[in-house]
Amino acid sequence: STLFGDDYAVNYPKEIVINAGVELGATSTSEEALEIPSGSAGTITVINNGTLSGAGGAAGQSGGDAFEAGVACTLVNNGIIRAGGGGGGTGGQGSYTSSSTSGDTGGFPWSGTRWRTYYFNSNLQIYWNYSHIGAFSGQGNLTSKTVGNATYYRRGYMWTDANNENYYQVRRTLYSTVYTSGGSGGVGQGYNQSATSGSGGGTNAGSGGSGASFGQTGNGGVNGNYTNGVGGGASGKYIRGISFVTYTNNGSNLGGTA
């Protein structure tokens, strides 16, 4: 319609010839390299001796279409019609356990973050900063008790103060789960755009999938140890609106139709 202007709606035969060595390309997946929209009158014939290229898909997104018809037309392909490749999928999330330890192994009881301990009914009662945690049974060389996200460790010896109270050396380790992001997917191949690889993810996360070549689906992201990777974007269509098109192919197509 842009090529013919007001004549697009006039009832006479129209022909578009794309010469050999010429490439028409879309720079956005919302557009096509060549569109034959509705609103025409008379026959329309497109002869492609060159190349029609769709835009490449962004990470995780579908590639763009090469040709679209919204009205009856004839398409003769003697060259290449290729849909944009899909973008690569995002990698799965990762996770790992982080820990921090407090307490020391020497010095007088009550210094730092020492436990104070008492005996009740032959069970070792445990305190951390004066807060009662629970009881250890027995007196092994090294014992531990987990409460919530903390693990408390007791060393296997004690001493007695002037008030005849018994003390043990202890320390506390706090655990937390850290989640990391998966890598981003690469972009798909398109007009004036090469396919790219995905980026790496965080610790234990999956890397992003690479973008696909013309007419191909993007590679999925690699699984992380917390979530799975996301599939890649689909290829675009080398012809959209195929029901309007009388198609003769003497060249090559990359992608599907819709």
Side-chain angles (χ1 to χ4, degrees):
S1 60
T2 301
L3 291 173
F4 289 98
D6 292 339
D7 286 346
Y8 192 63
V10 178
N11 188 3
Y12 65 83
K14 302 171 183 66
E15 184 177 80
I16 300 170
V17 179
I18 302 165
N19 292 330
V22 173
E23 181 176 8
L24 299 184
T27 57
S28 168
T29 55
S30 64
E31 301 292 343
E32 302 76 28
L34 179 61
E35 179 186 4
I36 310 299
S38 61
S40 70
T43 61
I44 299 177
T45 300
V46 178
I47 301 173
N48 175 44
N49 298 316
T51 302
L52 299 179
S53 300
Q61 302 299 309
S62 298
D65 303 328
F67 181 88
E68 181 175 5
V71 68
C73 62
T74 297
L75 174 60
V76 179
N77 178 38
N78 301 315
I80 302 171
I81 303 178
R82 54 190 187 180
T90 302
Q93 283 184 293
S95 67
Y96 65 92
T97 300
S98 177
S99 64
S100 61
T101 299
S102 57
D104 52 36
T105 58
F108 186 76
W110 304 122
S111 66
T113 48
R114 181 87 56 213
W115 281 356
R116 186 175 185 179
T117 62
Y118 299 93
Y119 281 105
F120 293 99
N121 299 324
S122 299
N123 289 324
L124 183 62
Q125 299 297 313
I126 301 142
Y127 292 77
W128 182 266
N129 288 348
Y130 301 94
S131 297
H132 186 237
I133 300 301
F136 278 126
S137 296
Q139 299 180 49
N141 184 51
L142 178 66
T143 57
S144 63
K145 182 179 182 67
T146 298
V147 179
N149 66 337
T151 299
Y152 300 87
Y153 298 90
R154 175 177 64 87
R155 297 172 70 88
Y157 57 87
M158 70 174 188
W159 63 91
T160 303
D161 68 6
N163 297 320
N164 204 33
E165 293 178 331
N166 298 319
Y167 298 86
Y168 285 81
Q169 289 185 314
V170 297
R171 61 185 173 88
R172 179 184 68 176
T173 300
L174 292 174
Y175 296 94
S176 61
T177 301
V178 179
Y179 299 96
T180 59
S181 299
S184 298
V187 300
Q189 186 179 19
Y191 176 66
N192 283 344
Q193 175 177 292
S194 299
T196 63
S197 300
S199 64
T203 301
N204 294 328
S207 59
S210 58
S213 302
F214 282 112
Q216 301 295 314
T217 297
N219 293 283
V222 177
N223 294 341
N225 69 344
Y226 182 65
T227 64
N228 292 335
V230 178
S235 163
K237 308 300 183 184
Y238 71 87
I239 295 178
R240 184 173 293 278
I242 188 66
S243 62
F244 291 110
V245 180
T246 300
Y247 186 47
T248 300
N249 181 35
N250 303 313
S252 64
N253 309 311
L254 296 173
T257 61

